[in-house]
Amino acid sequence: MLNRAQAPWDHLLLLLGEMHAAFEQFLSFLCDEERLLSAMDRQGVDDMADKKEQSLAEMCRYEEQVSVVMRQLAGPEHRGQVDAWLKQLRHPQAMKASTIFHALIGLTQKIQAQGRKNEILIRRMQCVVREAINLIYTGLGTGPVYQGSGALQFSTAPSSVSLHG
């Protein structure tokens, strides 16, 4: 039978471990997304967005659960000072929790860095698509084209039919 004082610590360590795994999975999704973005695989990116959304929801659930257990253990006076509070305790499980907590901070930094890389790739993809659309519109003659003189010229749309007089 578990010691009553030990149970919240055990629960916290379990939650932190599961939270760490969820963060690692999210980072893995971001790395996969980078590959899909580089390949401009729209369907793959769409599928990955669904996976990331589910993973983010899971991460939020763990964060809420950890917060509840931390308030139970530390009390409201240590809110926002979890790291310092864990370090001052000489409880073996507090030291384990502090180690996992620091690993989570490291993972969040990696997630942020990977997210920035993916954001750059997404912006690049948007530019490529925007330029392709502009090229199509210009090539089809559906939009006005400004000449060097500043005059606006409406070109005709190209046709697959060639008329010979």
Side-chain angles (χ1 to χ4, degrees), residues 29-49 51 118 121 124-125:
F29 287 157
L30 287 175
C31 292
D32 290 346
E33 182 182 55
E34 178 186 13
R35 182 183 46 78
L36 294 167
L37 287 167
S38 295
M40 297 186 108
D41 180 352
R42 191 184 71 76
Q43 184 58 49
V45 171
D46 285 347
D47 294 342
M48 189 56 64
K51 290 179 182 178
N118 290 7
L121 288 171
R124 188 190 111 218
M125 184 184 277

Side-chain angles (χ1 to χ4, degrees), residues 8-160:
W9 283 107
D10 291 338
H11 186 63
L12 175 65
L13 290 174
L14 176 71
L15 286 173
L16 286 173
E18 291 173 354
M19 189 175 184
H20 190 272
F23 276 55
E24 282 181 327
Q25 181 182 40
F26 188 74
L27 180 58
S28 172
F29 287 157
L30 287 175
C31 292
D32 290 346
E33 182 182 55
E34 178 186 13
R35 182 183 46 78
L36 294 167
L37 287 167
S38 295
M40 297 186 108
D41 180 352
R42 191 184 71 76
Q43 184 58 49
V45 171
D46 285 347
D47 294 342
M48 189 56 64
D50 293 337
K51 290 179 182 178
K52 285 182 3 187
E53 194 172 310
Q54 292 170 2
S55 185
L56 280 170
E58 181 182 25
M59 290 164 63
C60 287
R61 281 192 305 275
Y62 281 123
E63 188 175 352
E64 289 172 15
Q65 292 174 359
V66 165
S67 293
V68 168
V69 175
M70 287 302 295
R71 278 193 302 270
Q72 182 183 12
L73 286 167
E77 64 273 6
H78 294 289
R79 177 183 271 176
Q81 304 168 354
V82 173
D83 188 37
W85 179 75
L86 285 172
K87 283 181 181 177
Q88 80 182 15
L89 295 177
R90 295 293 171 221
H91 195 282
Q93 289 179 309
M95 291 180 203
K96 289 179 187 175
S98 180
T99 301
I100 298 171
F101 185 70
H102 281 283
L104 281 168
I105 290 171
L107 265 176
T108 57
Q109 291 169 344
K110 289 178 183 176
I111 287 170
Q112 289 171 342
Q114 186 64 50
R116 285 189 292 273
K117 285 166 104 176
N118 290 7
E119 182 181 355
I120 290 167
L121 288 171
I122 289 168
R123 286 188 181 154
R124 188 190 111 218
M125 184 184 277
Q126 287 174 327
C127 288
V128 168
V129 170
R130 186 178 309 115
E131 289 303 314
I133 290 171
N134 287 339
L135 184 63
I136 290 169
Y137 280 137
T138 301
L140 290 176
T142 57
V145 177
Y146 285 95
Q147 301 301 310
S149 65
L152 189 59
Q153 175 186 347
F154 290 91
S155 55
T156 60
S159 170
S160 60

